[in-house]
Amino acid sequence: MSRNLHLVQSDFEELEKKILPRFPFCYLTFKCNSMDEHAFEVKDISFSGMQLALKSGEHNLNEGEKIHGRLHWSGRELEINGTIKWTTDKRLGVEFSNEISVREEVQDFLNLELIAKSLKPVHQLNIGSELPANLKFWLRADGPVEVFVWQHSDGEFARFQVLIMENLVEWEDGKGLRTARVISKRDIETPLISEDEYVFKMDESLDDDKIDKAAALVNQISREFLSPTSLDFLKLKLNS
């Protein structure tokens, strides 16, 4: 998918735009105590905050307000409080409270081992839209994690991406391994495929912490979800 690489460079940073497919359903939700009639989808989440979106209707929350509610995911829930940092009619960005207890509870809720157990093989599901050409495997755990494995037309590996919250680890044929951080993300609607446009700030040198987390995740992926050849390839590149 050659159109997903657009490079922007300056003396200070290297940004790349990438178009990646978007799963049409989200099971990680947030219910605000002041808006019991609405459940927000959690579009993005990290240890420090989250981006929320309403499927329908509009919220009445404002930038700078405190927000309280509960995260619901995979049969678990977590009470959260934070501050609204920005809003649109249907979306808002929340920064979690800086209280040590809140940050620790969020980290426990987003435990990598639990996330790995929540991965679903999207490529095996009928999601009502076509997958992009050459996307061989797609694993997803709602907001926090996605894994994409792409192949050339001859079956050789073209690239893979491991997204863990705001971090990216990517290997591409001819370029090798790279790491980055998500700067922004927006929806793109097309007739057959739901997509997101990401902007990544590429790391000047490989970030070992990002790679270690990606390797830890991949080491826990079931062989039912990826072919043995693909799983071994990801492990080789991430552990080398």
Side-chain angles (χ1 to χ4, degrees), residues 95-114:
E95 181 181 52
F96 297 141
S97 167
N98 280 322
E99 295 176 31
I100 295 176
S101 60
V102 173
R103 294 298 174 103
E104 288 178 344
E105 288 172 350
V106 171
Q107 289 189 32
D108 184 60
F109 190 77
L110 298 175
N111 178 281
L112 199 60
E113 184 176 346
L114 294 174

mmCIF file of all heavy atoms in Angstrom, residues 95-114:
data_model
loop_
_atom_site.group_PDB
_atom_site.id
_atom_site.type_symbol
_atom_site.label_atom_id
_atom_site.label_comp_id
_atom_site.label_asym_id
_atom_site.label_seq_id
_atom_site.Cartn_x
_atom_site.Cartn_y
_atom_site.Cartn_z
ATOM 1 N N GLU A 95 -6.967 13.829 30.108
ATOM 2 C CA GLU A 95 -5.712 13.522 30.798
ATOM 3 C C GLU A 95 -6.056 12.943 32.153
ATOM 4 O O GLU A 95 -6.818 13.547 32.923
ATOM 5 C CB GLU A 95 -4.868 14.784 30.963
ATOM 6 C CG GLU A 95 -3.535 14.538 31.652
ATOM 7 C CD GLU A 95 -2.736 15.814 31.811
ATOM 8 O OE1 GLU A 95 -3.285 16.806 32.346
ATOM 9 O OE2 GLU A 95 -1.559 15.828 31.414
ATOM 10 N N PHE A 96 -5.520 11.760 32.458
ATOM 11 C CA PHE A 96 -5.809 11.130 33.726
ATOM 12 C C PHE A 96 -5.214 11.937 34.881
ATOM 13 O O PHE A 96 -4.222 12.655 34.716
ATOM 14 C CB PHE A 96 -5.249 9.705 33.769
ATOM 15 C CG PHE A 96 -5.866 8.777 32.757
ATOM 16 C CD1 PHE A 96 -5.089 7.842 32.095
ATOM 17 C CD2 PHE A 96 -7.220 8.842 32.463
ATOM 18 C CE1 PHE A 96 -5.646 6.975 31.163
ATOM 19 C CE2 PHE A 96 -7.790 7.990 31.531
ATOM 20 C CZ PHE A 96 -7.005 7.057 30.873
ATOM 21 N N SER A 97 -5.814 11.779 36.050
ATOM 22 C CA SER A 97 -5.301 12.423 37.256
ATOM 23 C C SER A 97 -3.853 12.003 37.499
ATOM 24 O O SER A 97 -3.454 10.871 37.206
ATOM 25 C CB SER A 97 -6.166 12.022 38.460
ATOM 26 O OG SER A 97 -5.542 12.374 39.669
ATOM 27 N N ASN A 98 -3.061 12.917 38.042
ATOM 28 C CA ASN A 98 -1.656 12.625 38.335
ATOM 29 C C ASN A 98 -1.475 11.869 39.643
ATOM 30 O O ASN A 98 -0.334 11.569 40.029
ATOM 31 C CB ASN A 98 -0.846 13.925 38.396
ATOM 32 C CG ASN A 98 -0.486 14.438 37.017
ATOM 33 O OD1 ASN A 98 -0.183 13.653 36.123
ATOM 34 N ND2 ASN A 98 -0.534 15.745 36.851
ATOM 35 N N GLU A 99 -2.579 11.570 40.328
ATOM 36 C CA GLU A 99 -2.462 10.808 41.568
ATOM 37 C C GLU A 99 -1.785 9.469 41.292
ATOM 38 O O GLU A 99 -2.110 8.779 40.318
ATOM 39 C CB GLU A 99 -3.842 10.564 42.172
ATOM 40 C CG GLU A 99 -4.556 11.829 42.614
ATOM 41 C CD GLU A 99 -5.965 11.521 43.126
ATOM 42 O OE1 GLU A 99 -6.150 10.414 43.680
ATOM 43 O OE2 GLU A 99 -6.840 12.369 42.953
ATOM 44 N N ILE A 100 -0.837 9.105 42.133
ATOM 45 C CA ILE A 100 -0.081 7.865 41.936
ATOM 46 C C ILE A 100 -1.016 6.672 41.888
ATOM 47 O O ILE A 100 -0.846 5.762 41.052
ATOM 48 C CB ILE A 100 0.963 7.685 43.051
ATOM 49 C CG1 ILE A 100 2.020 8.791 42.955
ATOM 50 C CG2 ILE A 100 1.625 6.307 42.961
ATOM 51 C CD1 ILE A 100 3.041 8.763 44.068
ATOM 52 N N SER A 101 -2.032 6.646 42.730
ATOM 53 C CA SER A 101 -2.949 5.509 42.771
ATOM 54 C C SER A 101 -3.706 5.360 41.459
ATOM 55 O O SER A 101 -3.913 4.229 40.978
ATOM 56 C CB SER A 101 -3.940 5.664 43.931
ATOM 57 O OG SER A 101 -4.709 6.861 43.785
ATOM 58 N N VAL A 102 -4.101 6.470 40.842
ATOM 59 C CA VAL A 102 -4.825 6.427 39.568
ATOM 60 C C VAL A 102 -3.916 5.895 38.470
ATOM 61 O O VAL A 102 -4.298 5.002 37.697
ATOM 62 C CB VAL A 102 -5.366 7.824 39.187
ATOM 63 C CG1 VAL A 102 -5.964 7.805 37.783
ATOM 64 C CG2 VAL A 102 -6.414 8.279 40.197
ATOM 65 N N ARG A 103 -2.698 6.411 38.369
ATOM 66 C CA ARG A 103 -1.768 5.970 37.330
ATOM 67 C C ARG A 103 -1.432 4.481 37.488
ATOM 68 O O ARG A 103 -1.326 3.751 36.508
ATOM 69 C CB ARG A 103 -0.488 6.814 37.359
ATOM 70 C CG ARG A 103 -0.713 8.294 36.992
ATOM 71 C CD ARG A 103 -1.233 8.457 35.573
ATOM 72 N NE ARG A 103 -1.574 9.809 35.241
ATOM 73 C CZ ARG A 103 -0.822 10.613 34.486
ATOM 74 N NH1 ARG A 103 0.320 10.177 33.998
ATOM 75 N NH2 ARG A 103 -1.218 11.841 34.212
ATOM 76 N N GLU A 104 -1.274 4.030 38.736
ATOM 77 C CA GLU A 104 -0.981 2.609 38.973
ATOM 78 C C GLU A 104 -2.148 1.732 38.564
ATOM 79 O O GLU A 104 -1.959 0.655 37.986
ATOM 80 C CB GLU A 104 -0.629 2.393 40.445
ATOM 81 C CG GLU A 104 0.733 2.954 40.838
ATOM 82 C CD GLU A 104 1.039 2.759 42.312
ATOM 83 O OE1 GLU A 104 0.095 2.473 43.078
ATOM 84 O OE2 GLU A 104 2.216 2.899 42.697
ATOM 85 N N GLU A 105 -3.370 2.181 38.848
ATOM 86 C CA GLU A 105 -4.554 1.402 38.471
ATOM 87 C C GLU A 105 -4.706 1.335 36.953
ATOM 88 O O GLU A 105 -5.098 0.298 36.410
ATOM 89 C CB GLU A 105 -5.799 2.023 39.111
ATOM 90 C CG GLU A 105 -5.883 1.800 40.617
ATOM 91 C CD GLU A 105 -7.007 2.582 41.262
ATOM 92 O OE1 GLU A 105 -7.603 3.448 40.569
ATOM 93 O OE2 GLU A 105 -7.300 2.339 42.444
ATOM 94 N N VAL A 106 -4.395 2.429 36.264
ATOM 95 C CA VAL A 106 -4.451 2.428 34.803
ATOM 96 C C VAL A 106 -3.422 1.455 34.239
ATOM 97 O O VAL A 106 -3.708 0.679 33.323
ATOM 98 C CB VAL A 106 -4.221 3.843 34.241
ATOM 99 C CG1 VAL A 106 -4.071 3.801 32.725
ATOM 100 C CG2 VAL A 106 -5.383 4.762 34.617
ATOM 101 N N GLN A 107 -2.212 1.478 34.776
ATOM 102 C CA GLN A 107 -1.174 0.563 34.298
ATOM 103 C C GLN A 107 -1.567 -0.886 34.522
ATOM 104 O O GLN A 107 -1.306 -1.751 33.683
ATOM 105 C CB GLN A 107 0.151 0.875 34.994
ATOM 106 C CG GLN A 107 0.777 2.194 34.543
ATOM 107 C CD GLN A 107 2.180 2.389 35.080
ATOM 108 O OE1 GLN A 107 2.917 1.437 35.262
ATOM 109 N NE2 GLN A 107 2.555 3.638 35.322
ATOM 110 N N ASP A 108 -2.215 -1.173 35.638
ATOM 111 C CA ASP A 108 -2.673 -2.532 35.906
ATOM 112 C C ASP A 108 -3.788 -2.913 34.937
ATOM 113 O O ASP A 108 -3.831 -4.043 34.438
ATOM 114 C CB ASP A 108 -3.157 -2.645 37.355
ATOM 115 C CG ASP A 108 -3.554 -4.063 37.721
ATOM 116 O OD1 ASP A 108 -2.694 -4.955 37.644
ATOM 117 O OD2 ASP A 108 -4.736 -4.288 38.068
ATOM 118 N N PHE A 109 -4.696 -1.978 34.654
ATOM 119 C CA PHE A 109 -5.809 -2.229 33.740
ATOM 120 C C PHE A 109 -5.306 -2.498 32.332
ATOM 121 O O PHE A 109 -5.879 -3.298 31.589
ATOM 122 C CB PHE A 109 -6.745 -1.015 33.736
ATOM 123 C CG PHE A 109 -8.049 -1.223 33.021
ATOM 124 C CD1 PHE A 109 -9.087 -1.931 33.597
ATOM 125 C CD2 PHE A 109 -8.253 -0.687 31.749
ATOM 126 C CE1 PHE A 109 -10.294 -2.109 32.951
ATOM 127 C CE2 PHE A 109 -9.462 -0.865 31.089
ATOM 128 C CZ PHE A 109 -10.487 -1.582 31.700
ATOM 129 N N LEU A 110 -4.211 -1.834 31.950
ATOM 130 C CA LEU A 110 -3.627 -1.984 30.613
ATOM 131 C C LEU A 110 -2.405 -2.894 30.633
ATOM 132 O O LEU A 110 -1.496 -2.741 29.820
ATOM 133 C CB LEU A 110 -3.253 -0.607 30.049
ATOM 134 C CG LEU A 110 -4.412 0.366 29.855
ATOM 135 C CD1 LEU A 110 -3.895 1.721 29.407
ATOM 136 C CD2 LEU A 110 -5.429 -0.168 28.861
ATOM 137 N N ASN A 111 -2.397 -3.851 31.538
ATOM 138 C CA ASN A 111 -1.317 -4.825 31.638
ATOM 139 C C ASN A 111 -1.127 -5.547 30.318
ATOM 140 O O ASN A 111 -2.087 -6.028 29.722
ATOM 141 C CB ASN A 111 -1.651 -5.816 32.761
ATOM 142 C CG ASN A 111 -0.605 -6.888 32.910
ATOM 143 O OD1 ASN A 111 -0.563 -7.849 32.151
ATOM 144 N ND2 ASN A 111 0.234 -6.731 33.906
ATOM 145 N N LEU A 112 0.124 -5.636 29.846
ATOM 146 C CA LEU A 112 0.399 -6.198 28.528
ATOM 147 C C LEU A 112 -0.033 -7.655 28.417
ATOM 148 O O LEU A 112 -0.515 -8.093 27.361
ATOM 149 C CB LEU A 112 1.898 -6.073 28.213
ATOM 150 C CG LEU A 112 2.289 -6.193 26.739
ATOM 151 C CD1 LEU A 112 1.620 -5.113 25.914
ATOM 152 C CD2 LEU A 112 3.804 -6.125 26.592
ATOM 153 N N GLU A 113 0.095 -8.406 29.478
ATOM 154 C CA GLU A 113 -0.313 -9.811 29.454
ATOM 155 C C GLU A 113 -1.820 -9.937 29.251
ATOM 156 O O GLU A 113 -2.287 -10.782 28.482
ATOM 157 C CB GLU A 113 0.111 -10.505 30.741
ATOM 158 C CG GLU A 113 -0.186 -11.998 30.760
ATOM 159 C CD GLU A 113 0.330 -12.692 32.007
ATOM 160 O OE1 GLU A 113 1.149 -12.080 32.730
ATOM 161 O OE2 GLU A 113 -0.085 -13.840 32.264
ATOM 162 N N LEU A 114 -2.583 -9.081 29.938
ATOM 163 C CA LEU A 114 -4.039 -9.107 29.777
ATOM 164 C C LEU A 114 -4.442 -8.637 28.382
ATOM 165 O O LEU A 114 -5.377 -9.165 27.776
ATOM 166 C CB LEU A 114 -4.698 -8.232 30.842
ATOM 167 C CG LEU A 114 -4.548 -8.702 32.290
ATOM 168 C CD1 LEU A 114 -5.126 -7.681 33.252
ATOM 169 C CD2 LEU A 114 -5.225 -10.060 32.476
#
